[in-house]
Amino acid sequence: MVFVEGGSFMMGNIGYEVPESDPEGEWVTMEDGRQSYRKPFPGCSDSCYPTHKVTLTGFYINKFETTLGEYDVYSKENGLPLIYPKYRGDPEGFIPSSAIYLGVNWFDADNYCKWLAEITQLPFNLPTEAQWEYAARSRGKAVRFATDNGELEPGRNYRPHSSQFGASALIDPPGKYPPNPLGIYNMTGNANEWVRDWYHGLYYEISPELNPTGPIDEHEWSYNKVSRGFGRANSNWQSNLVFRRLADSPKYWNNGFRCSLDSNIRYL
């Protein structure tokens, strides 16, 4: 796991600084109170706005996406069926080292992380949406992508675009390309990842500053869970933003995940 030191950042599509003469720019109050004239990155829906200050305490997050082999251990220990056993070892990538991207819904991912908490007596959980974005952006930097330099360079820090279809064309082994500056892999592209929060398209307008966890599950709009990091090989690269929010039914089974550890204590 990677320890992510706590701090404050502007969550949402913070964009990039532009000259004050640019008519498409707007003044944004940054986390330190200064005013910055900025233009949003393209490719993000209205749910990425408004940008808002978030302060997080320190936490850990998995360096890699959860693999099929890791999830198999959990399944066997708890008497659960394996994910797609008849496809194991085929060219579609159902091998132990593959990142999970099929067969696990939100409840399965949540139970896996809570199982880790039970057997370790440590506060494992799915990362909150704010934790995920803060870690992907290397403690809140104004970058579009969770790569080593904040940009996409296919073939060096991101897989080349492919016209192929099927799982093997969509998912890379965890760690194939360089991590972001915090040392975390595959938070742009690869498997889309479940996070802890219920989804609400207007949540950013009411989000608390300190350690937000999303709307309560009784909220009338909270029928879906948030997923982050979408952007496989065949997708539009410019839509693979670290700000992008997707609303998925918690019963949807076409996502992966990684766990977090809610602790400001440096165990490692």
Side-chain angles (χ1 to χ4, degrees), residues 13 15-16 39-45 49 144 238-241 243:
N13 189 352
Y16 54 98
K39 182 178 179 179
F41 291 119
C44 214
S45 70
Y49 306 96
R144 292 186 295 175
Q238 300 308 309
S239 295
N240 301 352
L241 299 169
F243 316 102

Side-chain angles (χ1 to χ4, degrees), residues 32 94 119 128 160 166 173 178 186 248 254:
D32 59 3
F94 283 88
I119 64 174
T128 66
N186 301 116
D248 291 329
N254 199 17

Side-chain angles (χ1 to χ4, degrees), residues 13 18 31 34 95 114 121 176 185 208 214 240 251 259:
N13 189 352
V18 294
E31 69 274 6
R34 70 181 176 87
I95 57 178
K114 289 179 177 175
Q121 296 299 297
K176 182 174 181 179
Y185 293 81
N240 301 352
K251 296 181 180 180
C259 298

